[in-house]
Amino acid sequence: MPSNVTLTPLHGIKLVEPGDDLGEITVAALRGNGLVPKDGDVLVVAQKIVSKAEGRYVDVSTVRPSERAIALAAEVDKDPRFVEVVLSESKRVVRHRPGLLIVEHCLGFVMANAGIDHSNVAAEDGTERVLLLPVDPDGSAQALRRHLTEVFGLGIVISDSFGRPWRKGTVGVALGAAGLPAFVDLRGRPDLFGRELLVTETGFADEIAAAAGLLMGQADEAVPMVLARGLAWSAPDLPAAALVRPAEHDLFR
């Protein structure tokens, strides 16, 4: 277990546009903030800048909603075109009510509006853009890590903010991970009194994302990257996809 963990925000990062090289932006940000990553460091990267670099925009004004989207939009009081985009990114609708649409994303995440976001997305003339999640967040994390290992060796967590069942407020969670175990199975290890742990499994990457969220913020903080130092682990690397609970283990599905 680490004895001390530090979190350092990376300031001065440019507004990311489609086609930007996120690896080069990251190297410049680390150097610009006087940071030289060490083994065991983890860079937490906000999902928004990953999606922006990958061009994951949709112009809602060009979308033609289906009958299903039109009917659902009337129930949730949302733009049918926006609902169509949500459905296109989803496996199923989990719950809905006026003003709220919870779905299971194609990647398995259960979240509001399939993670599609209007906030911190600059408007352009004649368009109404929204931003989707990366197609493959673990792949995005791995690609960024491959770029950075030519210069620095560190783990990557791509984070987003989720609401949680039965609790108010959003917290950072890991959508993608590379170079670390997103999920750590502690079953079989002894507790403080020597009793064997039977059910304990930790979302290691989620814990890192949540900690970084204290510095990233949700509004105009403009801190899309945070470097975590002092972490320790011995488990093998696992992608963030390992954090998604299988349907057969979900008592509420």
Side-chain angles (χ1 to χ4, degrees):
M1 294 295 294
S3 58
N4 185 46
V5 176
T6 61
L7 300 169
T8 304
L10 274 62
H11 296 289
I13 297 172
K14 70 181 289 288
L15 291 177
V16 175
E17 297 292 340
D20 281 349
D21 188 323
L22 201 55
E24 291 183 2
I25 290 172
T26 303
V27 171
L30 288 165
R31 288 174 172 164
N33 283 269
L35 297 170
V36 179
K38 304 175 180 179
D39 287 342
D41 285 358
V42 175
L43 182 69
V44 184
V45 183
Q47 163 267 321
K48 279 191 180 68
I49 66 169
V50 177
S51 291
K52 288 178 178 180
E54 295 178 358
R56 294 286 288 154
Y57 288 106
V58 171
D59 180 357
V60 174
S61 68
T62 67
V63 174
R64 296 184 63 181
S66 62
E67 291 185 5
R68 182 190 179 200
I70 292 171
L72 181 57
E75 295 185 46
V76 298
D77 193 25
K78 293 180 180 289
D79 185 332
R81 301 169 302 173
F82 177 75
V83 172
E84 180 64 38
V85 180
V86 172
L87 292 177
S88 72
E89 290 287 294
S90 306
K91 292 181 180 179
R92 66 187 178 100
V93 175
V94 178
R95 290 288 188 274
H96 66 278
R97 62 167 172 76
L100 183 65
L101 179 56
I102 305 295
V103 299
E104 181 182 358
H105 190 277
C106 293
L107 295 170
F109 311 124
V110 176
M111 57 200 314
N113 299 329
I116 298 169
D117 209 339
H118 291 273
S119 63
N120 292 320
V121 177
E124 293 186 349
D125 290 343
T127 67
E128 186 181 344
R129 297 193 305 170
V130 294
L131 191 65
L132 314 184
L133 298 186
V135 172
D136 177 11
D138 283 319
S140 299
Q142 192 63 254
L144 179 57
R145 184 169 186 265
R146 279 196 301 268
H147 183 109
L148 296 180
T149 50
E150 298 176 4
V151 184
F152 310 115
L154 73 171
I156 301 292
V157 169
I158 296 175
S159 70
D160 196 6
S161 298
F162 273 31
R164 299 154 297 159
W166 305 295
R167 296 186 70 82
K168 293 182 179 180
T170 60
V171 295
V173 300
L175 297 186
L180 71 158
F183 172 82
V184 179
D185 188 348
L186 298 179
R187 291 175 296 179
R189 298 189 188 183
D191 71 4
L192 184 63
F193 301 99
R195 291 188 292 266
E196 181 182 353
L197 297 175
L198 299 177
V199 298
T200 303
E201 300 166 314
T202 62
F204 185 53
D206 280 348
E207 292 178 324
I208 297 169
L214 295 170
L215 297 176
M216 285 182 163
Q218 297 292 326
D220 61 355
E221 292 84 355
V223 179
M225 294 183 183
V226 170
L227 186 71
R229 173 164 293 169
L231 297 164
W233 62 85
S234 57
D237 292 359
L238 271 178
L243 293 164
V244 177
R245 189 184 301 278
E248 61 270 21
H249 297 165
D250 189 343
L251 297 180
F252 300 93
R253 190 168 310 197

